């Protein structure tokens, strides 16, 4: 429902408020991912131990998805985004202060719970903002999220040569970002609570929407894998320094920003179906390059191609879910979101477990299979016609 109070907000100010939420969330995730090599070394973790910690973060986030969705239905995406942002900052401070693996584990669960929950809430807010403005803003919001990942990754490139440990780095980023993000998100946003019976806790996708979910899952599994393991890949496979290893994540995220900013044009020219095939094609090319990479430059080239491939998967899937004829829009979008964000969080531990059994280079061969599944499921992105879904 479009409320008159929200229509009075200038569209630029509304876009900036929602974008501030996406930027804030991703800066913390980007900073976390950039310092994973330091955390691994500081706590003496093996690949599978680090993978287990990342699985704990995934478990926290997946738990947070339906809870945040319920809260957003009752209190609005804007309010829940702001509350969860403050809790996410506190969890980041917990990461910075954790003295043992056990306390680190607790902080990681909290970080996943609050960060994942905020991700759902701010996407709900983004949907409300699009409806109010009548404009296609979702690709740009996800571009801002990728931009935040770049900022977080590049902060490591700056502070690591200065000798900052990951604890100091996390604390300063969190404390600086907190007030700036709250200031950016601080607008008056009216909301009509949704009846509880209309918001199922776990929406179940069927038919073509299930294929859309798998298309998104494959892309976000790869995205999560590159986000958390690209730095270690460059260190272990190409012998890059820790500071230079952050360039891999920055290049990957920058490619996602570029493609997402171009998303309206690409999808408008090609249509959702062929845009999906192009995305899958880039993902396949990038996976092949990473599979054969032994030098820093070649690996980064592969990360860029993967960034182009994964960038439009979520906007395409969310748009297809919103056009569903077989289930209510909110249920369809929530169901696809579980696949999407679950993939981002499950990708890193999956790679960690396989890397421990084989090698990190071998583990990233999984990206080839994911790209193949994207090609096979891309036809499900075609918008439904008539009464069919």
């Amino acid at each position: 429902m479009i409320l008159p109070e929200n229509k009075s907000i200038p569209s630029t100010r509304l876009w900036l408020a929602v974008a501030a939420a996406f930027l804030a969330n991703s800066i913390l995730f980007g900073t976390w991912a950039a310092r994973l090599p330091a955390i691994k070394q500081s706590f003496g973790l093996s690949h599978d131990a680090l993978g287990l910690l990342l699985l704990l973060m995934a478990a926290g986030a997946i738990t947070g998805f339906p809870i945040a969705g319920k809260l957003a239905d009752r209190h609005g995406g804007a309010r829940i985004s702001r509350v969860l942002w403050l809790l996410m900052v506190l969890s980041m401070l917990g990461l910075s202060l954790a003295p043992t693996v056990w306390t680190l584990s607790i902080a990681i669960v909290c970080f996943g719970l609050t960060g994942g929950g905020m991700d759902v809430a701010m996407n709900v807010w983004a949907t409300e903002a699009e409806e109010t403005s009548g404009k296609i803003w979702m690709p740009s919001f996800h571009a801002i999220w990728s931009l935040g990942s770049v900022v977080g990754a590049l902060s490591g490139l700056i502070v690591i040569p200065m000798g900052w440990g990951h604890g100091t780095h996390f604390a300063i980023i969190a404390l600086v970002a907190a007030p700036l993000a709250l200031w950016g998100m601080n607008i008056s946003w009216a909301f009509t609570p949704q009846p509880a019976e209309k918001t199922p806790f776990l929406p179940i996708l069927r038919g073509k929407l299930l294929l859309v979910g798998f298309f998104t899952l494959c892309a976000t599994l790869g995205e999560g894998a590159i986000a958390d393991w690209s730095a270690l890949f460059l260190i272990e496979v190409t012998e890059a320094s820790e500071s230079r290893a952050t360039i891999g994540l920055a290049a990957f995220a920058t490619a996602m920003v570029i493609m997402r900013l171009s998303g309206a044009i690409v999808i408008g020219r090609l249509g959702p179906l062929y845009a999906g095939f192009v995305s899958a094609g880039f993902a396949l090319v990038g996976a092949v390059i990473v599979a054969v990479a032994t030098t820093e430059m070649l690996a980064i080239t592969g990360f860029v191609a993967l960034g182009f491939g994964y960038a439009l998967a979520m906007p395409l899937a969310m748009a297809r879910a919103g056009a569903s004829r077989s289930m209510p829009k909110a249920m369809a979008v929530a169901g696809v979101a579980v696949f999407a964000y679950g993939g981002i969080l499950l990708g890193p531990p999956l790679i960690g477990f396989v890397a421990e059994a084989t090698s990190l280079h071998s583990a990233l061969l999984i990206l080839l299979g994911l790209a193949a599944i994207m090609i096979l499921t891309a036809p499900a992105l075609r918008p439904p016609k008539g009464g069919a879904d």
Side-chain angles (χ1 to χ4, degrees), residues 99-227:
T100 67
V101 172
W102 292 108
T103 53
L104 179 68
S105 300
I106 295 171
I108 284 174
V109 171
C110 294
F111 187 64
L113 181 70
T114 55
M118 182 184 175
D119 218 325
V120 170
M122 69 193 188
N123 271 282
V124 171
W125 190 12
T127 301
E128 297 167 358
E130 277 195 324
E131 184 179 4
T132 298
S133 67
K135 299 178 180 178
I136 301 174
W137 281 346
M138 192 65 78
S140 66
F141 291 142
H142 285 273
I144 292 296
W145 197 95
S146 298
L147 179 62
S149 296
V150 174
V151 173
L154 290 181
S155 70
L157 185 63
I158 295 171
V159 305
I160 290 172
M162 297 169 58
W164 287 19
H166 68 272
T168 302
H169 188 185
F170 288 170
I172 290 179
I173 290 292
L175 293 174
V176 170
L180 292 175
L182 285 177
W183 173 77
M185 290 186 276
N186 187 27
I187 63 171
S188 178
W189 185 254
F191 177 75
T192 302
Q194 302 298 308
E197 63 270 18
K198 294 185 178 180
T199 56
F201 193 73
L202 285 175
I204 299 176
L205 301 181
R206 296 182 177 86
K208 290 184 179 179
L209 279 180
L210 182 59
L211 296 179
V212 172
F214 278 114
F215 177 87
T216 316
L217 177 68
C218 289
T220 56
L221 275 169
E223 180 181 348
I226 297 302

Side-chain angles (χ1 to χ4, degrees), residues 221-241:
L221 275 169
E223 180 181 348
I226 297 302
D228 280 6
W229 290 100
S230 58
L232 278 170
F233 182 90
L234 289 175
I235 291 171
E236 295 185 7
V237 176
T238 72
E239 300 182 349
S241 65

